Amino acid sequence: MTTATDPLLEQFLADHAAERLESYKELVRIPSISALPEHAADCRRAAEWIAADLERSGMDHVEVSETGGHPVVYADWLHATGAPTVIVYCHYDVQPVDPLDLWTSPPFEPVVEGDRILGRGVADDKGQLHLHLRAIEALLATRGRLPVNLRIVFEGEEESSSVHLDRWLEANRGRLAADFALISDTGFFDGNIPSITVGLRGLMYAQIDVTGTAVDLHSGSYGGTVDNPANALARIIAGLKDGDGRILVPGFYDDVVELTEEERERLRELPFDEAAYLEHLGLPALHGEPDYSTLERRGARPTLDVNGIWGGFQGEGAKTIIPAHAHAKVSCRLVTAQDPGRIFAAFRDHVLAIAPRGVRVEVRDLGGGHPSLTPIDHPATQAAARALAATFGRDPVYIREGGSIPVCATFERTLGLPVVLLGFDPPDQRAHAPNEWMDLGNYETGIRTIVRMWDEVARLEPADLGG
Ligand code: BES
Ligand code: MN
Ligand code: MN
């Protein structure tokens, strides 16, 4: 399925195939879990590994740059006089690996099975980061230059809401001048159809803490006289959403921009097999707002979901108590033009308004990010479409993804940059779950697509890009 770029570059890639796979595995072996403090040194090690790789390839100003959290890897190559400049973003951090017993092989010991490589981060997002490294290496080795100017921004906190990145971007604004940003952290459409993502949802993440007495109570001695924090929490959660998936927080939908008829039509045209989707999930039925299709609900409608709920007795057998406290983590996926800060405030106010009187309720903001919509007709998006078409032998489809990449909106809002989301993950890659895998065909073809992308962008005038 791979079509050749230029002969010298193809020869280089062919000569280095084994080395490339070994290097990919080496990066995956570093357990750079950003959420867990005990892996902070591993995050730094991953950053240093990447910096050394960029240095070897011949990039300039390679730096493991401090953020206050896990470092950003910055590098640039700015010798393509007159050609556009692009910021390339990927993340080297990964999600935690639990539940460990469901992995068929250890998460940080990557293995190749047929066309697949298995391991934490092989798809999200180390595989994509690594294919950029290999495209840069191959271009500099065979041509001695890049077709465009690149500024690399590889971060280590994406899976933890990129808490320090916005400030780093502000502080480094001076060396981030570019015509657009390219993010490789998305994937292909169902059926592994090459895709360009043009919509990402935002996120609001909160924790609800319900507290009763200082210690658990005997449920016989006190039952009927006091409220129960777990019951109270259940009543609160029941008051957040109706049975059809409509969110009951007042004002929640105020800023939601509805899909246009044309956008709905475009979603209807995607080759989506709802029966196969349901079968793959192994569920008795799908669920959500009845007036919207499954793809509309996934890409263009906001959500509210309980991510975790705990409290009281969890052991074997029976223990008759009224628990002292109960908790839930609740998140909302947001769409244009919902604002995570305003949604948190509306959510908190609603929870406190419906909170039962006999318990204490606290609501905490655990972070989030803005939604984003990127333009299909932007010349950089169209360059990506041509690069995909030339490499995969078919035109890409344009999709709206349900997931979030907080930096996407920051690039647009803070740096004023258009963003192209060009990613290569297979659609069912088990990101964040046990047995995450990457399609090695997508990875290899991804390298060629990136090479073609830079060649395509080199043909654009900075003026075409609005620069
Ligand atoms: N690569 C994903 C984002 C993504 C998910 C893109 C699904 C396309 C489809 C990213 O690494 C991710 O998991 N983001 C988090 C963000 C959160 C921690 C702020 C997410 O979406 O939950
Ligand atoms: Mn990711
Ligand atoms: Mn992720």
Side-chain angles (χ1 to χ4, degrees):
M1 105 165 135
T2 308
T3 61
T5 48
D6 66 64
L8 263 181
L9 197 134
E10 284 304 324
Q11 190 57 52
F12 181 90
L13 290 174
D15 291 345
H16 293 80
E19 203 180 301
R20 174 157 70 251
L21 181 61
E22 192 40 51
S23 155
Y24 186 176
K25 288 180 171 173
E26 223 178 274
L27 178 58
V28 173
R29 282 191 199 108
I30 306 173
S32 47
I33 304 171
S34 58
L36 303 177
E38 62 270 32
H39 286 283
D42 295 317
C43 291
R44 187 162 294 271
R45 199 147 58 83
E48 277 159 4
W49 188 97
I50 293 161
D53 189 290
L54 288 163
E55 191 86 57
R56 269 197 307 279
S57 293
M59 293 290 286
D60 301 322
H61 304 122
V62 181
E63 182 186 333
V64 173
S65 183
E66 297 308 323
T67 64
H70 307 309
V72 163
V73 181
Y74 176 87
D76 59 36
W77 194 93
L78 304 169
H79 310 291
T81 314
T85 301
V86 189
I87 291 183
V88 182
Y89 170 96
C90 298
H91 63 91
Y92 65 77
D93 63 319
V94 300
Q95 285 274 329
V97 294
D98 56 290
L100 205 54
D101 55 311
L102 292 184
W103 285 83
T104 54
S105 54
F108 296 112
E109 293 172 29
V111 290
V112 172
E113 288 176 6
D115 299 335
R116 297 180 174 194
I117 179 167
L118 257 81
R120 172 56 86 235
V122 291
D124 185 11
D125 185 32
K126 283 177 170 168
Q128 308 217 42
L129 187 154
H130 195 262
L131 69 86
H132 274 281
L133 294 178
R134 300 287 65 84
I136 288 170
E137 174 192 46
L139 281 165
L140 286 174
T142 58
R143 300 186 195 169
R145 61 191 316 278
L146 300 177
V148 293
N149 301 297
L150 293 187
R151 298 182 191 274
I152 300 294
V153 175
F154 290 161
E155 79 148 321
E157 296 189 325
E158 196 277 341
E159 301 292 8
S160 308
S161 300
S162 300
V163 274
H164 297 91
L165 187 63
D166 285 7
R167 232 179 305 133
W168 186 90
L169 290 171
E170 287 280 1
N172 288 271
R173 195 187 267 280
R175 57 169 167 174
L176 295 174
D179 294 289
F180 69 94
L182 181 123
I183 296 178
S184 290
D185 189 24
T186 51
F188 283 5
F189 190 68
D190 300 58
N192 208 24
I193 299 170
S195 307
I196 294 177
T197 299
V198 291
L200 287 170
R201 290 193 287 195
L203 189 73
M204 183 286 291
Y205 207 115
Q207 177 160 333
I208 306 176
D209 300 301
V210 181
T211 319
T213 45
V215 289
D216 295 348
L217 298 174
H218 190 293
S219 69
S221 311
Y222 292 92
T225 73
V226 297
D227 203 350
N228 174 318
N231 289 55
L233 177 60
R235 298 205 299 285
I236 292 170
I237 288 170
L240 297 177
K241 207 171 163 182
D242 74 14
D244 278 339
R246 185 121 187 124
I247 293 143
L248 302 173
V249 175
F252 185 84
Y253 292 97
D254 285 1
D255 297 325
V256 171
V257 175
E258 290 286 334
L259 285 166
T260 63
E261 200 36 57
E262 193 198 326
E263 287 168 324
R264 295 190 96 166
E265 184 54 38
R266 218 179 269 140
L267 286 177
R268 272 196 294 274
E269 282 166 2
L270 290 172
F272 181 61
D273 183 343
E274 186 146 322
Y277 185 73
L278 187 59
E279 157 117 25
H280 175 72
L281 291 168
L283 286 170
L286 297 178
H287 174 78
E289 293 172 290
D291 297 340
Y292 297 89
S293 72
T294 302
L295 287 185
E296 288 169 359
R297 299 200 308 266
R298 179 167 89 185
R301 292 297 292 168
T303 64
L304 184 151
D305 281 292
V306 174
N307 300 101
I309 180 164
W310 69 102
F313 180 59
Q314 321 267 322
E316 280 285 317
K319 182 183 184 207
T320 47
I321 56 158
I322 294 172
H325 47 86
H327 314 266
K329 305 234 187 217
V330 180
S331 66
C332 294
R333 295 284 169 176
L334 309 177
V335 301
T336 320
Q338 288 177 300
D339 176 278
R342 282 171 59 184
I343 293 296
F344 173 75
F347 173 83
R348 178 201 54 211
D349 292 351
H350 179 61
V351 168
L352 296 179
I354 64 173
R357 295 285 154 250
V359 290
R360 280 174 216 87
V361 177
E362 263 184 287
V363 187
R364 283 187 284 151
D365 189 350
L366 299 187
H370 288 268
S372 53
L373 283 178
T374 60
I376 294 184
D377 53 6
H378 192 278
T381 311
Q382 288 310 307
R386 288 192 297 276
L388 279 169
T391 320
F392 284 85
R394 60 158 295 170
D395 285 330
V397 292
Y398 297 92
I399 60 175
R400 283 177 177 236
E401 273 294 359
S404 313
I405 306 174
V407 74
C408 185
T410 312
F411 280 145
E412 292 165 343
R413 299 162 71 99
T414 311
L415 299 180
L417 294 180
V419 176
V420 180
L421 295 158
L422 179 57
F424 304 95
D425 279 2
D428 50 351
Q429 87 295 49
R430 291 178 178 266
H432 299 199
N435 302 324
E436 178 177 349
W437 61 281
M438 178 67 182
D439 185 304
L440 286 168
N442 285 26
Y443 165 83
E444 287 292 331
T445 320
I447 299 174
R448 277 77 176 176
T449 307
I450 294 302
V451 168
R452 280 188 204 284
M453 173 68 179
W454 300 149
D455 280 339
E456 287 285 346
V457 172
R459 286 187 205 112
L460 303 173
E461 295 291 327
D464 296 339
L465 296 163

